[in-house]
Amino acid sequence: MLPFAPLDSAAWSERLRETGLKSTSGRVAALEHLSTHPHTTANEIHTALTKELPALTLQSVHNIVQDLTAHGIIRRIDPLGPGGARYETRTDDNHHHLQCVRCGRIEDIDCAVGAAPCLTPHSTHGMRILQADVTFRGVCGECDKRPQP
Amino acid sequence: MLPFAPLDSAAWSERLRETGLKSTSGRVAALEHLSTHPHTTANEIHTALTKELPALTLQSVHNIVQDLTAHGIIRRIDPLGPGGARYETRTDDNHHHLQCVRCGRIEDIDCAVGAAPCLTPHSTHGMRILQADVTFRGVCGECDKRPQP
DNA sequence: ATCTTATTTTGAATGAATCAAAATTGCTGG
DNA sequence: CCAGCAATTTTGATTCATTCAAAATAAGAT
């Protein structure tokens, strides 16, 4: 079970309108997919939605994730390594990530503190700190069983 | 003053050979540039070195940063937003980053704990944690003065 | 000095993301 | 319910970062 129940399409529509954005089938479908499949790329979203929305183009998916990111409805992450940007719908809970250094898999992990910023640096270089992004790197169970290549 | 004195070219040559890599002018120049200009892209390295090494191609710089990363001599970071991968020579001190959300500038910041992992998550999803990557996001002094666009 | 092999160059190709203009769709007010 | 405006998507092309393969070169060992 996900820590946050994924919203249904009506709820996503409402959220879009509240934010001043139009509710379109592409946006709602992308949000539904992202909430059940976190950390997916624009490409993966497009592939997944092409069955129910054959007309939706990859460029539109790029537009969608960019617009939604700019309005704070989704969050962009740029994981280490190849593969491009990934997106997620959990934006306000200050959660963190676990990434396997072998297979690249990403998992969510709740923040111990909860509120952002959950850490504060010693010296800030004159910067006003808003939040701390934490990514734990390690080796996942699957990859740990397998001998290294 | 940098927290770690940048190595001179002889020292970088030695470090390369110790690692089992050949010491080439491109690699040494890239390492010298990276140690004095942290968080630069392959493109920026190439542009900076083109004066002293006109024959060095961008593809070679990509080869170089990839090889050096694979051997742990430099570290790759993928900052949020556009612009591609960046690299740095500080690999063993478990330091963290500050990134301005407006201009994208990145600064180094020493880790409070020092040894990796400096944080441990509550639930690990069965993953063996090696280190914690922390990036503080905020608004730098420069951008805070300027009114928002 | 030469030989072996790693590295760089050359030239081309891929993949992610962006841009501009035309077509379409959602939503507002009549 | 229909018309009209504006936001959004599509279409088509382009840019940028990165990778690939084969040929040329240079580093370091013998």
Side-chain angles (χ1 to χ4, degrees), chain A residues 2-8 35:
Chain A
L2 292 173
F4 292 74
L7 302 182
D8 63 6
S35 66

Side-chain angles (χ1 to χ4, degrees), chain B:
Chain B
M1 184 155 54
L2 293 173
F4 291 74
L7 302 181
D8 63 5
S9 69
W12 282 124
S13 285
E14 201 184 316
R15 178 112 159 71
L16 285 165
R17 292 203 201 86
E18 280 170 9
T19 319
L21 295 172
K22 289 183 177 173
S23 166
T24 68
S25 54
R27 284 176 175 172
V28 172
L31 283 167
E32 285 191 296
H33 184 76
L34 263 182
S35 65
T36 52
H37 302 79
H39 322 128
T40 46
T41 64
N43 238 312
E44 289 166 351
I45 295 170
H46 176 243
T47 303
L49 298 186
T50 200
K51 289 148 193 169
E52 52 172 313
L53 294 175
L56 187 72
T57 63
L58 175 58
Q59 290 89 324
S60 293
V61 176
H62 276 288
N63 284 340
I64 288 170
V65 292
Q66 192 171 276
D67 289 348
L68 297 182
T69 303
H71 288 83
I73 298 178
I74 64 177
R75 196 160 82 103
R76 168 178 173 152
I77 59 180
D78 283 82
L80 264 193
R86 295 180 174 273
Y87 299 88
E88 63 186 1
T89 52
R90 290 179 62 182
T91 55
D92 288 327
D93 58 348
N94 198 50
H95 73 279
H96 302 310
H97 294 122
L98 283 168
Q99 187 179 20
C100 176
V101 296
R102 300 244 181 97
C103 67
R105 184 180 359 162
I106 298 174
E107 304 280 359
D108 282 336
I109 191 165
D110 290 322
C111 177
V113 176
C118 61
L119 276 178
T120 48
H122 284 174
S123 141
T124 63
H125 287 253
M127 209 179 274
R128 184 161 49 86
I129 305 297
L130 301 172
Q131 61 167 231
D133 261 27
V134 182
T135 300
F136 295 97
R137 307 202 180 281
V139 183
C140 73
E142 299 278 312
C143 290
D144 230 353
K145 284 175 207 154
R146 239 187 301 279
Q148 245 181 308

Side-chain angles (χ1 to χ4, degrees), chain A residues 39-42 76-87 106, chain B residues 76 78:
Chain A
H39 322 126
T40 47
T41 65
R76 168 179 171 150
I77 60 181
D78 282 83
L80 265 192
R86 294 180 175 273
Y87 299 88
I106 299 174
Chain B
R76 168 178 173 152
D78 283 82

